Amino acid sequence: MTTGLSVFVTHLRSEVRRLLTRRWDAVVAFILPLVILVGVAAMLGPGVAKNIPVAVVDQADTAFTRAAIREMQASPSLDLAYRPATVDEAVALMRRGKIYSVAHFPSEMKHGLYRRPTTVSVYFNGAFQTIGSMGAMQQSAAIGVAAAPLLEERARQMGVPATQLSPPAVQVSIIGNPQLSFELFLGALLGIGMLHLLAACSALMAAGRLLWRGSFHRAGRSTDGHLLPALMGRLLPHFVIYVLWGTAWIVWLAGFRGWEVTGSMPLMLLGLAGLMAVSVALSALFVAVTADLDLSMSLTAVYAGAAIAFSNATLPLDHGPLFSRVWSQILPLTHYVRLQTAQWIAGSPLASAWSDLALLWGVALVAVLLAGAAMSLRARRRKAWTPLSYTLPPNSIVGSFADTFANLPRTRPVSSLLLLAVVLYGFYYPAAYKGQVAQGLPVAIVAPSNSSFTRSLITHIDATSGLEVAAVSPSPDDAKRLLQDGVVDGVIILPDGLGRSVAQRAPDGIAIWLNGGYLVRVASVGKAAAAAAAATLEARAKGLPELARVAELAPKIRQESLFNLTEGYGDYAVPAVVLVILQQTLLMGAGVIVALRRESMAAPLRWRGRLGLWLALIAIGTLSSLFYFGFIFWVQDYPRAGDLWGVIALSPVFAAASSALGLCFGCLFNRRERVVQVWVGSSALLFFLGGAAWPHFMMPKLMVALAYLFPSTAAVQGFVRMNAMGASLSEIAPQALTLCALALVWGSLWLSGLPQGKNTSS
């Protein structure tokens, strides 16, 4: 008699054997995660940006400007690569990707420092905001260091004591990530986030093995109705494999790279296991409810593919649109990331993790039970099944071109990728960045006294658009617990008697504690604290005429974002992500067509038929690109149409390269789901390889060279500059030529009759 245990063991053994003996099952389980994790490790290994290419326009040539330039040259974070004569020349260098920021010393400074009001402008590339703002910050710091001794000398000449010149010192302590390393911040997030997606896709294929011709009827009969044990046996190997991959990644970062876990490692690993349990359980539920592997794969790509963006780990969603906040809380990755950050970086108490742990494991349990019940219900009846096909005339350019479009309405797996996904992602993904900038970040204020000066300073901090005073406490320990529990993003400690020390012109320091797990929030809180300190100095200066005169004549340092005037996170991230979305939909759509034709034993295409199919995909890809660069960018109000004709001219080339790569890649598979499974798992890595969030000069040269095999890399560097920065085709000539070369190479490979192989199960 068949028992649930025997069914579980049988399907467990079958799944393990398949993972060890079937080529693509083994690749997805063992090779693809390794490639992705090694790629992330190599890409983010430097951690902190160094040698950022910058420029200086020195139209004054004074002792001060020369001192500032020497400070920049001495900074390990900067590479003073160019000394153009004008700002226009510097901006042209920026459009070509040669520099990320430029400091401009105007000719008015020739008349002498502290003789008349002057402003030093530091312009940075807001279209590549992460590295551009870093370059501007370091250049501004160098200018400030050079100005300090001249300020003291001028004050001495005017009889103002040096102690009156400084605002209260601000000492910033970064908890858990003092170096502000992107390796810890992004590495931990990306590695686990991509494993979450891979685990979900892998489990989909495992659950789909119980599905035959759109029905669980045969599986129900072969297991005597024990479908839940069969499902558990299929899912367990994938759960174990991806828990081990996640553990290996955490051990790599914490053990080999030295990013110590400040909280509980066992608790964090239990959370990791909960995330992977949810991943495989939700996949099983999708397959059970829809009885459609293609639709289940699409649902997984929607919820897990963009989970990193909605995880609240990059741009905070606290004050974002309602949809983004609600959807973020629904996604399992959000709860794991919160637990991981609390335990790895903030050293939070164990009690703070139980709610997220309970939610992850609870959802996993409920999802797998519902999946088993849904499968049992569907197994009671057979389902009418019609095999899919994608028929094309083998030797006709016009016929193949026309039939590619004619097949779309009746072939949902292809139309959902080439049409529906393009439209959906145009509105779905940008929703994560609708808030644009971090606003209303909660902070706690430690104020031992309740003086009028302290109350005034707290009011000033609370009035800052980026911050919201969530708690005022006399105890630093209480405030730190709020930070560790994730209730606040920063703690600002005002020393006892601060008002009195300011009045005596010898101000004490202000301490700030920040959570190093959220680098965007760190920057926002730090800027607000600096603004508060500057306001304090300005208030003091009003009562001291001599000091007011020095402060008035001191050079002002103004940072200005070019090509992204709002410094919005969406204006910077989405235009680059769009290129990856367009590439991935074309890659997967083209690959699914080829794999589907192999499934259905369609007649091989000759070169004319291949050319017609390729031309049709180029047309679809071009229209999709223009839909984004025109309509979507207009509706979402993203930077656009800087060089409209260049964008129009290069879009077909980008579509040709992407679709040709997808067609070639599809020849490796005879199951259409495999194409989506492999490509969707690589999307996040391909975005970062594009160089928008993490620059190419910080990556290994071999990795950058390999990245340019994918059209999205050159497209991100080229289209972002044309759309947002107004660069012309000649200014992005290297990227345009790269796309042309990729279209030629991949297209030639496809047209040459790349063999599709035998139609064996994969």
Side-chain angles (χ1 to χ4, degrees):
M1 179 180 177
T2 303
T3 65
L5 179 60
S6 64
V7 169
F8 170 79
V9 172
T10 298
H11 281 267
L12 174 63
R13 288 176 175 172
S14 175
E15 193 67 23
V16 171
R17 184 165 54 250
R18 187 180 186 93
L19 289 171
L20 295 176
T21 59
R22 297 296 180 93
R23 179 181 59 183
W24 282 108
D25 287 286
V27 166
V28 170
F30 305 116
I31 304 301
L32 187 58
L34 178 63
V35 170
I36 287 177
L37 293 180
V38 168
V40 174
M43 179 174 63
L44 298 176
V48 179
K50 297 180 180 179
N51 298 317
I52 302 171
V54 300
V56 167
V57 177
D58 184 6
Q59 296 175 327
D61 192 22
T62 65
F64 163 63
T65 61
R66 290 191 292 271
I69 290 171
R70 286 194 298 271
E71 292 292 339
M72 294 180 202
Q73 292 171 328
S75 171
S77 300
L78 299 177
D79 173 18
L80 187 53
Y82 294 92
R83 300 277 297 273
T86 66
V87 173
D88 288 342
E89 292 178 18
V91 172
L93 289 169
M94 201 176 289
R95 286 198 183 96
R96 289 163 52 200
K98 300 297 184 181
I99 61 171
Y100 288 89
S101 67
V102 54
H104 175 219
F105 298 104
S107 58
E108 290 80 3
M109 299 188 75
K110 291 180 180 179
H111 302 293
L113 199 63
Y114 302 107
R115 304 297 179 188
R116 55 189 299 180
T118 56
T119 298
V120 180
S121 298
V122 182
Y123 304 100
F124 65 92
N125 189 346
F128 295 86
Q129 184 168 295
T130 299
I131 202 68
S133 60
M134 287 183 183
M137 180 178 65
Q138 295 297 330
Q139 283 193 288
S140 298
I143 295 168
V145 170
L150 298 175
L151 172 62
E152 293 177 2
E153 174 60 24
R154 180 59 176 161
R156 186 190 62 78
Q157 295 173 0
M158 300 177 66
V160 178
T163 55
Q164 296 183 9
L165 298 174
S166 302
V170 177
Q171 180 179 357
V172 179
S173 299
I174 310 297
I175 295 178
N177 186 4
Q179 299 92 337
L180 296 180
S181 171
F182 277 78
E183 182 182 29
L184 177 57
F185 165 56
L186 278 180
L189 175 64
L190 280 179
I192 301 300
M194 286 189 282
L195 290 176
H196 161 55
L197 176 57
L198 289 175
C201 292
S202 189
L204 275 173
M205 301 297 289
R209 284 189 259 282
L210 298 174
L211 188 65
W212 185 72
R213 294 191 172 185
S215 172
F216 296 103
H217 182 74
R218 189 170 74 166
R221 291 184 60 188
S222 66
T223 61
D224 280 347
H226 296 293
L227 278 171
L228 180 58
L231 177 64
M232 297 290 288
R234 292 288 176 182
L235 295 179
L236 183 58
H238 301 269
F239 167 74
V240 172
I241 286 170
Y242 282 96
V243 168
L244 291 176
W245 275 121
T247 302
W249 182 240
I250 291 172
V251 169
W252 164 257
L253 289 175
F256 291 89
R257 296 298 295 167
W259 299 111
E260 180 184 1
V261 175
T262 59
S264 170
M265 172 73 87
L267 197 62
M268 195 167 72
L269 294 178
L270 187 60
L272 170 69
L275 175 66
M276 297 308 164
V278 173
S279 304
V280 300
L282 287 179
S283 294
L285 182 60
F286 290 155
V287 173
V289 170
T290 65
D292 187 323
L293 204 53
D294 295 306
L295 180 56
S296 299
M297 192 71 76
S298 298
L299 293 173
T300 299
V302 169
Y303 100 86
I308 293 174
F310 284 95
S311 67
N312 208 28
T314 51
L315 180 69
L317 301 175
D318 306 64
H319 292 266
L322 179 62
F323 167 77
S324 301
R325 287 183 278 124
V326 173
W327 184 239
S328 174
Q329 293 305 310
I330 291 174
L331 297 177
L333 184 63
T334 301
H335 299 276
Y336 172 75
V337 167
R338 185 162 56 208
L339 185 153
Q340 175 180 269
T341 303
Q343 294 303 315
W344 198 334
I345 296 175
S348 301
L350 302 185
S352 65
W354 293 121
S355 60
D356 290 316
L357 271 178
L359 189 144
L360 289 171
W361 282 102
V363 170
L365 177 61
V366 171
V368 78
L369 291 176
L370 289 176
M375 284 186 178
S376 297
L377 285 174
R378 284 187 171 275
R380 296 176 182 177
R381 61 185 185 275
R382 295 179 183 273
K383 180 182 178 181
W385 181 74
T386 303
L388 290 175
S389 62
Y390 208 92
T391 56
L392 298 172
N395 200 27
S396 169
I397 297 175
V398 175
S400 180
F401 180 90
D403 283 4
T404 299
F405 289 94
N407 276 304
L408 289 177
R410 56 177 178 263
T411 317
R412 182 169 49 80
V414 178
S415 60
S416 64
L417 289 168
L418 293 179
L419 302 177
L420 296 180
V422 171
V423 176
L424 171 66
Y425 270 90
F427 297 95
Y428 169 60
Y429 194 92
Y433 303 115
K434 204 72 173 178
Q436 290 281 14
V437 296
Q439 292 184 339
L441 298 179
V443 296
I445 306 290
V446 177
S449 64
N450 190 30
S451 66
S452 60
F453 182 86
T454 300
R455 291 195 301 271
S456 175
L457 188 55
I458 292 173
T459 300
H460 177 80
I461 294 172
D462 196 36
T464 304
S465 61
L467 299 181
E468 178 182 306
V469 177
V472 178
S473 171
S475 169
D477 292 337
D478 291 344
K480 187 174 183 180
R481 276 193 292 271
L482 293 175
L483 180 64
Q484 291 175 323
D485 291 342
V487 177
V488 298
D489 291 316
V491 175
I492 302 176
I493 303 176
L494 307 179
D496 192 17
L498 177 61
R500 183 174 59 256
S501 66
V502 168
Q504 295 172 353
R505 303 165 188 171
D508 295 328
I510 297 173
I512 301 178
W513 296 339
L514 302 172
N515 187 340
Y518 302 105
L519 295 192
V520 175
R521 307 182 193 201
V522 164
S524 298
V525 177
K527 284 182 180 179
T536 303
L537 177 61
E538 183 178 350
R540 288 175 54 214
K542 290 180 179 179
L544 299 168
E546 298 86 356
L547 180 59
R549 178 62 177 164
V550 174
E552 179 186 343
L553 295 178
K556 305 296 186 296
I557 303 174
R558 176 174 62 104
Q559 290 189 20
E560 183 176 338
S561 172
L562 301 179
F563 321 121
N564 179 3
L565 300 183
T566 65
E567 297 187 44
Y569 204 85
D571 286 351
Y572 137 69
V574 173
V577 172
V578 158
L579 277 309
V580 178
I581 292 173
L582 289 168
Q583 173 187 267
Q584 297 299 81
T585 53
L586 263 181
L587 285 176
M588 290 187 282
V592 164
I593 290 174
V594 176
L596 180 56
R597 287 179 54 79
R598 295 187 65 192
E599 280 185 41
S600 60
M601 307 285 290
L605 294 174
R606 304 183 69 178
W607 78 267
R608 290 183 179 85
R610 289 175 178 245
L611 179 58
L613 171 59
W614 186 28
L615 290 173
L617 291 172
I618 292 172
I620 293 171
T622 301
L623 292 174
S624 298
S625 299
L626 297 180
F627 169 72
Y628 270 87
F629 301 144
F631 180 73
I632 293 295
F633 280 21
W634 170 69
V635 169
Q636 303 285 357
D637 196 23
Y638 290 128
R640 60 195 178 275
D643 180 10
L644 179 60
W645 294 112
V647 168
I648 293 174
L650 199 58
S651 291
V653 182
F654 171 54
S658 299
S659 56
L661 176 57
L663 290 168
C664 293
F665 188 78
C667 294
L668 299 174
F669 300 103
N670 54 16
R671 288 199 62 178
R672 59 186 184 273
E673 300 91 355
R674 288 284 188 212
V675 177
V676 180
Q677 181 186 17
V678 173
W679 276 122
V680 77
S682 64
S683 298
L685 180 61
L686 289 174
F687 165 69
F688 280 91
L689 289 177
W694 188 245
H696 283 157
F697 68 83
M698 292 298 295
M699 301 182 196
K701 292 182 179 179
L702 177 60
M703 171 171 276
V704 176
L706 292 174
Y708 271 100
L709 293 176
F710 300 95
S712 58
T713 303
V716 166
Q717 295 295 320
F719 279 97
V720 169
R721 292 177 191 164
M722 286 195 296
N723 267 316
M725 303 168 63
S728 64
L729 270 176
S730 62
E731 289 177 306
I732 57 119
Q735 290 75 32
L737 292 174
T738 299
L739 287 174
C740 290
L742 289 175
L744 180 63
V745 171
W746 293 118
S748 298
L749 191 60
W750 165 247
L751 294 177
S752 66
L754 190 69
Q756 299 183 16
K758 296 180 179 179
N759 191 6
T760 57
S761 177
S762 63

